[in-house]
Amino acid sequence: MEDLAKTYFFEGITDRERAIFEGAITLAAIRHQFVGVPICKDGKIVKTLEAAIKKTMLLQPFKKDVIVKIDYDLIKGEKKHPYDYESLKARHMDIRVIVQYGRANAILRMRYVPELDFNLMYVEKAEEVSST
Amino acid sequence: MEDLAKTYFFEGITDRERAIFEGAITLAAIRHQFVGVPICKDGKIVKTLEAAIKKTMLLQPFKKDVIVKIDYDLIKGEKKHPYDYESLKARHMDIRVIVQYGRANAILRMRYVPELDFNLMYVEKAEEVSST
Amino acid sequence: MEDLAKTYFFEGITDRERAIFEGAITLAAIRHQFVGVPICKDGKIVKTLEAAIKKTMLLQPFKKDVIVKIDYDLIKGEKKHPYDYESLKARHMDIRVIVQYGRANAILRMRYVPELDFNLMYVEKAEEVSST
Amino acid sequence: MEDLAKTYFFEGITDRERAIFEGAITLAAIRHQFVGVPICKDGKIVKTLEAAIKKTMLLQPFKKDVIVKIDYDLIKGEKKHPYDYESLKARHMDIRVIVQYGRANAILRMRYVPELDFNLMYVEKAEEVSST
């Protein structure tokens, strides 16, 4: 698909940089949009939320795939009483965003990293396929 | 289900007041949580998002039903190019939250009201069934 | 100020119910809007965020006051390295929303309740001043 | 400041790519976190919100500056009645995020682009200072 926005980017941006840029936007969008949603240890609810995050976020430009895993072993509630649920936290999620832009592709990830005690976003892989 | 939180509320709150309170929380939660999600004129994506909002928000206390309609006639994008989508707005939604608390039930609603040019939240109905 | 929205509410809603309704909306709006904002143990940053929450949320209808306390003893980061900060959580906040509607006023509150292990929203007080 | 997270990124990522990555995260975080906040044509409220966005988002790693302009000519409400305000939209904002990472720096931007009818995020500039 044609990139109507290309002229707004600085000249000299590489395809790999652009792929990283587009993936980072989606990672941060997921984190800041969905943290706070009510959630509990119910597979059907969790699956529906994962599907909604995936399908809506795939709309953002140049996404090839968005893989969202909510680890419900970490979630407390089983809805035995009205207050037995909790809110989605970044810590509950392991997300991979796969981007293709021009000749480049990139895998971006967010997951909780115990060593840093931080929900880290990082670039797992980025490559530009050389034209031959 | 037993209301573990009852003692934190002021003495003398009626069941009808409590039902209104619980419904208002869910209306505002939906509005401030989900506005901004990427969306386009694609029935499958819209249905998945509606289902995720409904199922997660039903976890909040004393909800009997949560009815979420996203009017996709109002949505612009058909995803013909990478930037052909938009963000969910309060204006796109018509929401009903149905609450039952004790002997009371209430219907709370949010929808765009053209006369006010405002996405209004209001109490459509609230009643307390008299014990006999 | 005149209530342009009054006609949309069911007939027979009391001023006290309306005050509770308006307060509940603001409590839930604060929770679902601001949870996730980056934060650290820095008084100036915390004060600025508290002020922004207060001033913007006072715009919602019939608010007399919005009191936001972020307990930064609970916040980890002191920004000694790039990842030394955290995200605002409901647990960090103690919020009071004070509403006046017609002859009624109400105090709504959200705070972490250890006994429930829950960030509870509740109605602390509501009263209708009798006309004489 | 030392980059504790460096080992999680793929080997071979350039400083310029990392600067772009970190900036993109903050742009998207601002958009998905703050869209929906109540706002009106009141300079003091707008300034306080701009300051809160700036100060909290500067906490994210490797930010040199975050410049947030909310164009309140675009905002409708002047608070003449209880419903005379609106919600912050991406369209109201012009944001620049300035990042420094290693030998690279980058300027990332989000603004409404009329030609695309889209609130575009893009990389305005990125450069790596060559060591000599």
Side-chain angles (χ1 to χ4, degrees), chain A residues 9 22 27 31 35 41 45 48 78 80 89 93 105 110 112 114-115 132:
Chain A
F9 285 75
E22 299 292 346
L27 271 191
R31 187 198 208 296
V35 162
K41 236 184 209 0
I45 297 172
T48 304
E78 302 190 45
K80 289 176 190 154
K89 290 169 187 57
M93 294 192 277
N105 50 64
M110 186 187 83
Y112 175 66
E115 297 77 29
T132 17

Side-chain angles (χ1 to χ4, degrees), chain C residues 3-131:
Chain C
D3 177 12
L4 297 170
K6 195 183 176 103
T7 55
Y8 297 92
F9 285 75
F10 79 102
E11 227 187 336
I13 188 169
T14 68
D15 284 2
R16 205 171 86 166
E17 286 169 333
R18 183 67 186 277
I20 290 171
F21 172 81
E22 300 292 346
I25 284 173
T26 299
L27 270 190
I30 293 174
R31 187 198 207 295
H32 289 271
Q33 185 72 56
F34 292 101
V35 163
V37 172
I39 197 88
C40 76
K41 237 185 210 359
D42 176 319
K44 269 182 280 186
I45 297 172
V46 168
K47 289 292 164 218
T48 304
L49 181 57
E50 286 175 343
I53 296 173
K54 182 194 191 90
K55 286 186 190 178
T56 57
M57 288 298 164
L58 269 169
L59 289 172
Q60 292 192 340
F62 309 110
K63 301 298 157 319
K64 223 175 136 182
D65 203 0
V66 174
I67 301 161
V68 181
K69 285 185 196 157
I70 297 171
D71 183 351
Y72 52 94
D73 288 343
L74 299 175
I75 296 169
K76 281 182 317 192
E78 301 190 47
K79 210 56 195 173
K80 289 177 191 153
H81 61 78
Y83 297 93
D84 186 19
Y85 68 98
E86 68 169 313
S87 293
L88 185 67
K89 290 169 187 56
R91 184 165 302 205
H92 298 144
M93 294 191 277
D94 187 338
I95 297 167
R96 275 198 178 84
V97 175
I98 296 150
V99 183
Q100 184 163 35
Y101 183 86
R103 289 198 314 272
N105 50 63
I107 304 175
L108 290 271
R109 188 161 179 199
M110 186 188 82
R111 67 174 175 96
Y112 176 67
V113 172
E115 297 77 29
L116 299 172
D117 188 23
F118 195 84
N119 303 293
L120 188 68
M121 299 184 195
Y122 57 99
V123 188
E124 217 167 58
K125 191 179 152 184
E127 55 180 12
E128 192 150 341
V129 180
S130 57
S131 57

Side-chain angles (χ1 to χ4, degrees), chain B:
Chain B
M1 282 196 287
E2 194 197 357
D3 177 12
L4 298 170
K6 195 184 176 101
T7 56
Y8 297 92
F9 285 75
F10 79 102
E11 226 187 338
I13 188 170
T14 67
D15 284 3
R16 206 171 86 167
E17 286 170 334
R18 182 69 185 275
I20 290 170
F21 172 81
E22 299 292 347
I25 284 173
T26 299
L27 270 190
I30 293 173
R31 187 196 207 297
H32 289 271
Q33 185 73 56
F34 292 101
V35 163
V37 173
I39 197 87
C40 77
K41 235 185 210 4
D42 176 319
K44 269 182 279 186
I45 297 172
V46 169
K47 289 292 164 216
T48 304
L49 181 57
E50 286 175 344
I53 295 172
K54 182 193 190 92
K55 286 185 190 176
T56 57
M57 288 299 162
L58 268 169
L59 289 172
Q60 293 192 340
F62 308 110
K63 301 298 156 319
K64 222 175 136 182
D65 203 0
V66 174
I67 302 161
V68 181
K69 285 185 195 156
I70 297 171
D71 183 351
Y72 53 95
D73 288 344
L74 299 175
I75 296 169
K76 282 182 317 193
E78 302 191 44
K79 210 55 192 171
K80 289 176 191 154
H81 62 78
Y83 296 94
D84 186 19
Y85 68 98
E86 68 168 312
S87 293
L88 185 66
K89 290 169 187 56
R91 182 164 302 206
H92 298 144
M93 294 191 277
D94 187 338
I95 297 168
R96 276 197 177 85
V97 175
I98 296 151
V99 184
Q100 184 162 36
Y101 184 87
R103 289 197 317 272
N105 49 63
I107 303 174
L108 290 271
R109 188 163 178 197
M110 186 187 83
R111 67 175 175 94
Y112 176 65
V113 172
E115 296 77 30
L116 299 172
D117 189 23
F118 196 84
N119 303 293
L120 188 68
M121 299 185 195
Y122 58 99
V123 189
E124 215 167 59
K125 191 178 152 183
E127 54 179 13
E128 192 151 342
V129 181
S130 56
S131 57
T132 18

Side-chain angles (χ1 to χ4, degrees), chain D:
Chain D
M1 282 196 287
E2 194 196 357
D3 177 12
L4 297 170
K6 196 184 176 102
T7 55
Y8 297 92
F9 285 75
F10 79 102
E11 227 188 336
I13 188 170
T14 67
D15 284 3
R16 206 170 87 166
E17 285 169 335
R18 183 67 186 278
I20 289 171
F21 172 81
E22 299 293 345
I25 284 173
T26 299
L27 271 190
I30 293 173
R31 187 197 208 296
H32 289 271
Q33 185 71 58
F34 292 100
V35 162
V37 173
I39 197 86
C40 78
K41 237 186 214 352
D42 176 318
K44 269 183 279 186
I45 297 172
V46 169
K47 290 292 164 216
T48 304
L49 181 58
E50 286 175 343
I53 296 173
K54 181 193 191 92
K55 286 185 189 177
T56 57
M57 288 298 163
L58 268 169
L59 289 172
Q60 292 193 340
F62 308 110
K63 301 298 158 318
K64 224 175 134 182
D65 203 0
V66 174
I67 302 161
V68 181
K69 285 184 196 157
I70 297 171
D71 182 351
Y72 51 96
D73 288 344
L74 299 175
I75 296 169
K76 281 181 316 191
E78 302 189 46
K79 208 59 193 172
K80 290 177 192 154
H81 62 78
Y83 297 93
D84 186 18
Y85 69 98
E86 67 168 314
S87 294
L88 184 66
K89 290 168 187 59
R91 184 164 302 204
H92 298 143
M93 295 191 275
D94 187 338
I95 298 167
R96 275 198 178 85
V97 175
I98 296 152
V99 184
Q100 184 163 36
Y101 184 85
R103 290 197 313 273
N105 50 64
I107 304 174
L108 290 271
R109 188 163 178 196
M110 187 187 83
R111 67 175 175 94
Y112 176 66
V113 172
E115 297 77 29
L116 299 172
D117 188 24
F118 196 84
N119 303 293
L120 188 67
M121 300 185 195
Y122 58 99
V123 189
E124 217 168 57
K125 191 179 152 184
E127 54 180 12
E128 193 151 340
V129 180
S130 57
S131 57
T132 16

